[in-house]
Amino acid sequence: MGDLDIADVARRSGVPASALRFYEEKGLIASIGRRGLKRLFDPSILERLTLIALGRAAGFSLREIAAMFAPDGRPRIDRRKLAAKAETLDRTIREMTALRDGLRHAAVCPARSHLECPSFRRLLRAAKAGVIRAPQISARKAKRRAARRSFKQPD
Amino acid sequence: MGDLDIADVARRSGVPASALRFYEEKGLIASIGRRGLKRLFDPSILERLTLIALGRAAGFSLREIAAMFAPDGRPRIDRRKLAAKAETLDRTIREMTALRDGLRHAAVCPARSHLECPSFRRLLRAAKAGVIRAPQISARKAKRRAARRSFKQPD
DNA sequence: CCTTGACCTCAAGTGAACTTGAAGTTGCAG
DNA sequence: CTGCAACTTCAAGTTCACTTGAGGTCAAGG
């Protein structure tokens, strides 16, 4: 009745059907049954997907996220892991902040070459100090992702 | 004389020799010549590698970084691109900060289930609002990377 | 009842950034 | 001078998170 087919879920969540099947295969989500061949999802899937998006944004891998849902289904998220991730996140934030400031300066810096700018060299020294990790998201993917990003899920 | 072979560069930069060859192939670095078969690098390669690490950390792809070095070799970095990247970075920082705070709360939240915690639900709503992008760095790679991370390059 | 389009499965492809392996060559310590 | 560790090339493999394609099934509208 209130159940959703995969297209509904895709539309309401912004997650492509192919990704939903993929998530199911990986155990991140489960359909509540089938109508013929077609998967049926409970509306609560939308909340679950939000949770998954959240985890991804926090830097968890799908594997890690899957582990956050107890085998019985509901989220039993390890609070220690959460705290640990918050810490990592915090480190990353500090790194990126330094980086952002460095970039901002470099963008307006009057020095001939960036290598001649003391501020830029400071940034380099910071990078050298090993302060830096790589985020890594491909340009094309990021673009497609951005184009798709509506994820409105009314509720 | 002061020239470095690939092992020296690897040791002093923390970048594996295989990655250095890869970078050369992609045009991110260049050897100054060969001794027999063996590549020789100018010590300035170390600064270049720091620059590359910096770019990676800022979220530039290798392709983008390569484009930042003029064909003649020295960095001619587009200041507008820099500013743009600083903006993206800033957005990401804000997202991650929200996320970090959410996670921190969730870690100490007394609610039975995270889904019952008002604060966590607020976080979910924020995520739903599309505030969220994914950083994406694999666990295994991150671990290997961390183990390797010394990058001391004594100047 | 029949068509059709939305769904299905399974396999293979993608792209980024490297790593690994096999097979060959060689600078240089002893 | 010789042996071998360390380099070389080139191809293929790896991980992650999906997407794409081929070929098949079937629920529902006309």
Side-chain angles (χ1 to χ4, degrees):
Chain A
M1 307 271 118
D3 294 348
L4 310 170
D5 77 6
I6 204 171
D8 296 330
V9 177
R11 189 174 38 75
R12 295 184 57 180
S13 70
V15 178
S18 63
L20 292 171
R21 289 190 205 100
F22 178 75
Y23 282 176
E24 191 189 41
E25 189 185 317
K26 295 282 165 180
L28 277 102
I29 60 175
S31 54
I32 200 68
R34 299 276 179 133
R35 175 163 48 226
L37 280 187
K38 306 183 177 181
R39 288 169 182 79
L40 286 183
F41 293 96
D42 187 275
S44 67
I45 191 75
L46 297 174
E47 193 161 54
R48 179 96 158 203
L49 286 171
T50 305
L51 217 44
I52 290 170
L54 187 59
R56 296 269 302 117
F60 290 101
S61 68
L62 292 189
R63 185 183 302 272
E64 287 176 298
I65 293 170
M68 286 177 181
F69 298 104
D72 65 303
R74 54 191 72 261
R76 181 142 280 295
I77 302 175
D78 183 349
R79 285 160 211 265
R80 285 156 51 112
K81 263 192 192 147
L82 244 41
K85 209 64 168 191
E87 273 328 287
T88 337
L89 217 47
D90 191 59
R91 259 200 59 174
T92 308
I93 288 169
R94 279 200 301 270
E95 294 172 9
M96 295 182 78
T97 302
L99 215 44
R100 180 202 58 194
D101 295 342
L103 289 182
R104 275 192 181 146
H105 174 84
V108 300
C109 174
R112 287 258 191 71
S113 149
H114 292 296
L115 287 177
E116 285 167 23
C117 163
S119 188
F120 196 76
R121 300 198 67 85
R122 217 164 23 250
L123 183 57
L124 277 190
R125 265 199 303 287
K128 222 163 50 179
V131 187
I132 296 301
R133 206 150 38 277
Q136 173 159 334
I137 180 161
S138 80
R140 281 193 53 224
K141 259 187 190 163
K143 229 165 272 174
R144 280 195 259 156
R145 203 167 281 282
R148 198 200 310 131
R149 184 167 319 289
S150 34
F151 212 94
K152 48 189 166 194
Q153 183 194 335
D155 169 20
Chain B
M1 305 275 118
D3 293 348
L4 309 170
D5 76 6
I6 204 171
D8 296 330
V9 178
R11 190 175 37 73
R12 295 184 56 181
S13 70
V15 179
S18 63
L20 292 172
R21 290 192 204 97
F22 178 75
Y23 282 174
E24 190 188 40
E25 189 187 317
K26 293 284 163 176
L28 277 103
I29 60 176
S31 54
I32 199 68
R34 299 276 180 134
R35 174 160 49 225
L37 279 186
K38 305 184 178 183
R39 286 167 182 81
L40 285 183
F41 294 96
D42 187 275
S44 67
I45 190 76
L46 296 174
E47 194 162 54
R48 178 96 159 202
L49 285 170
T50 305
L51 217 44
I52 291 170
L54 187 59
R56 296 268 303 115
F60 290 101
S61 69
L62 293 188
R63 184 183 303 270
E64 286 176 299
I65 294 170
M68 286 177 183
F69 299 105
D72 64 302
R74 55 191 72 261
R76 181 143 281 295
I77 302 175
D78 182 350
R79 285 162 211 264
R80 286 155 49 109
K81 263 190 192 149
L82 245 42
K85 209 63 167 187
E87 274 327 288
T88 337
L89 218 47
D90 191 57
R91 257 200 61 174
T92 308
I93 288 170
R94 279 200 303 271
E95 295 173 8
M96 293 181 80
T97 302
L99 215 43
R100 180 203 58 194
D101 295 342
L103 288 182
R104 275 193 180 146
H105 174 83
V108 301
C109 173
R112 287 257 191 72
S113 150
H114 293 297
L115 288 178
E116 287 167 21
C117 163
S119 187
F120 197 76
R121 300 197 67 86
R122 220 168 16 255
L123 183 58
L124 278 190
R125 265 200 303 286
K128 223 163 48 176
V131 187
I132 296 302
R133 210 155 29 282
Q136 171 158 333
I137 179 161
S138 81
R140 281 194 52 224
K141 258 187 192 164
K143 229 165 271 176
R144 278 194 260 157
R145 201 165 283 280
R148 196 197 314 130
R149 184 170 320 291
S150 33
F151 212 91
K152 50 191 166 195
Q153 182 194 333
D155 180 19

